[in-house]
Amino acid sequence: MSSSSADFLFLQQLYGQDTLYVIPEPASEEAISIPVASLVSPVTAEAPAPEPTPEKVETPAEVSLAVQVIEEPVAAPAAPAEEIKWLGEAVHGTYLLFEVPETVFRQLPQHPFLQKVMAAVGLNTGQIKFGNMSPALEHDVKKIAAENVARHIILFGQGLPVANLSRMEFYRMYRLGESRFVLVDSLEDIEKSVELKKKLWDVLQKIFLQQN
């Protein structure tokens, strides 16, 4: 008889008048087998986030308010500045160049002092070509002489729109091939000054009266 059966008979004799119950002992820790999977909480895969729905772009036809486009008038391109305004005819190849207001320029052939000066070298103002240079451009005396086959060019005034003006001396004759040219003061200043009149006459003799 096993020790467990003997213990049971002993207990029956000791507690004969009572009802006895046999409570099985809990299994040892080694006997308990718990599946590992039951200790891990199931992980539910997250559903992919829905892609954002692109906003609807309203076409011009769906816009409730019409947008008016105001077109600004395009200005016409400005006409290029005229290099030189000419007046008269250079019968003997004589050109007088100025940079003066239009109203003054138109009256130059009738200018009394200028008529006397030209008469002193054997010319009248009807035989001379007058030019009014544009202040918006830079003029080249050599180019003017070549294009017009000029024999004599007199530039009247200070601060003229002429290339290399700072290198030119007043009342000094310059030569370029068959052309002779000189820079003098304005007609108004010469008319008021005896000294400037003398300087003008001296250089005009070199240009018009001297052959060499």
Side-chain angles (χ1 to χ4, degrees):
M1 181 182 295
S2 65
S3 59
S4 298
S5 300
D7 292 340
F8 181 73
L9 293 176
F10 172 75
L11 291 174
Q12 278 185 331
Q13 294 176 359
L14 182 61
Y15 301 97
Q17 70 278 12
D18 299 318
T19 302
L20 298 178
Y21 298 90
V22 177
I23 300 175
E25 295 181 359
S28 64
E29 293 180 359
E30 296 180 358
I32 299 174
S33 177
I34 302 176
V36 177
S38 62
L39 298 178
V40 181
S41 301
V43 179
T44 304
E46 295 183 359
E51 297 183 359
T53 304
E55 297 181 359
K56 182 180 180 182
V57 179
E58 295 183 347
T59 61
E62 296 174 336
V63 178
S64 59
L65 298 178
V67 178
Q68 295 182 350
V69 179
I70 301 176
E71 296 183 359
E72 296 183 358
V74 179
E82 187 176 359
E83 290 190 13
I84 302 176
K85 290 185 178 180
W86 296 107
L87 183 62
E89 184 179 355
V91 178
H92 300 289
T94 301
Y95 293 79
L96 306 186
L97 300 180
F98 302 82
E99 195 270 292
V100 293
E102 181 68 19
T103 54
V104 175
F105 176 67
R106 291 293 174 183
Q107 299 300 319
L108 288 177
Q110 290 79 42
H111 196 286
F113 175 71
L114 192 56
Q115 289 177 335
K116 292 179 182 180
V117 171
M118 293 295 100
V121 293
L123 297 171
N124 63 64
T125 53
Q127 299 171 312
I128 298 169
K129 193 165 187 176
F130 296 82
N132 198 17
M133 296 181 290
S134 169
L137 301 173
E138 186 178 65
H139 303 269
D140 189 336
V141 178
K142 295 180 180 180
K143 181 180 178 181
I144 295 173
E147 290 179 348
N148 294 279
V149 194
R151 294 183 60 193
H152 322 106
I153 297 179
I154 305 174
L155 299 103
F156 286 88
Q158 298 185 13
L160 296 174
V162 174
N164 300 319
L165 185 67
S166 61
R167 299 182 181 180
M168 296 176 64
E169 296 181 19
F170 279 79
Y171 302 97
R172 178 181 177 181
M173 184 185 72
Y174 295 88
R175 298 189 63 170
L176 177 65
E178 297 298 321
S179 301
R180 301 180 180 187
F181 58 92
V182 63
L183 172 65
V184 301
D185 289 291
S186 67
L187 194 59
E188 182 181 2
D189 290 342
I190 295 173
E191 189 176 7
K192 295 177 181 179
S193 171
V194 175
E195 182 182 356
L196 295 182
K197 287 179 181 178
K198 184 179 183 303
K199 287 184 177 181
L200 177 62
W201 174 243
D202 290 343
V203 75
L204 289 181
Q205 290 182 82
K206 294 178 181 179
I207 292 177
F208 291 96
L209 304 179
Q210 293 181 4
Q211 297 301 320
N212 298 320

